[in-house]
Amino acid sequence: MSYTITPTSGACGATVAGLDLSKELDQATIENLRAAWLQHQVLVFTGQDISDADLERFSLYFGSFAGDPYIASLDDNPNIIELRRAADETTPIFADAWHTDWSFGANPPSATILYGITIPPHGGNTDFVNQKKALQKMPQELRSRLEGKNAIHSARRAYAPTGAYGDGEKESGKERGFKIKTSESAYDTQAHPIIRKHPETGEETLFGCVGYIIGVEDMAEDEANQLLMELYTWQTRPEFQYNHEWKPGMVVMWDNRSVLHKANGGYEGYERVLHRTVIS
């Protein structure tokens, strides 16, 4: 298949046109896509009409499935999560704060892949922010305060019983279009370097941000919070962002090791359905 890879006008991302992901890809194409993904961090495949089996096959080109610790998969497919929001749903928008998926784990995933099935006519953008570029442009004074420091990551603010998706949301009586599995395990912590080398490219990048980061090792809470907020203010600046506008039939994959992402609302009164895989 003849296809093109065109960088977006944002700080990261590229559009792949001309590939049919319902068909098997040859090894040369897979290797080229992986190189493009590592270079651009976000790949957008346009014009797709694929089944869950196709999504699984495409995902496995890039690694094995990682599962999901806190979101239920499809009843008939443990590798795929359906992110569904009904037209009349009134719960807070899911994942609408900057984060990298599962940074609270010992071995966070490399890729997340989303397939847009039902896309509203407006709203629902997914925003990305390039953490390699944010580090490259960072003032030396701030960088020097981050170098050598480990951040303490945890899922407690989201997936613990006391978290955003925990008992309070359940008691509100409002229902989501998919099941979130809160757990005591969300209180666990995991340390990762704030500045670290990408495991494939070797390039330095920032990893994670407040939300899943609850502190800094060997630093007092007040001092750590101040540093983390300074980091957050810098690493999410508009000049480091790519704002993705969804259309039906798009497949988007991103590198959790070098970008942050967040969901957006703005599509009240419309249903939105995406299928997701996560790659270890």
Side-chain angles (χ1 to χ4, degrees), residues 166-195:
D167 295 341
E169 180 168 291
K170 293 182 177 68
E171 292 166 2
S172 73
K174 298 178 180 179
E175 293 189 1
R176 291 190 179 272
F178 57 95
K179 182 180 178 181
I180 296 177
K181 305 179 295 183
T182 54
S183 170
E184 295 287 333
S185 68
Y187 293 113
D188 295 344
T189 60
Q190 178 67 49
H192 295 292
I194 297 174
I195 299 174

Side-chain angles (χ1 to χ4, degrees), residues 116-132:
I117 298 172
T118 303
I119 301 300
H122 54 74
N125 290 3
T126 301
D127 296 338
F128 299 92
V129 60
N130 184 334
Q131 296 304 279
K132 182 174 66 174

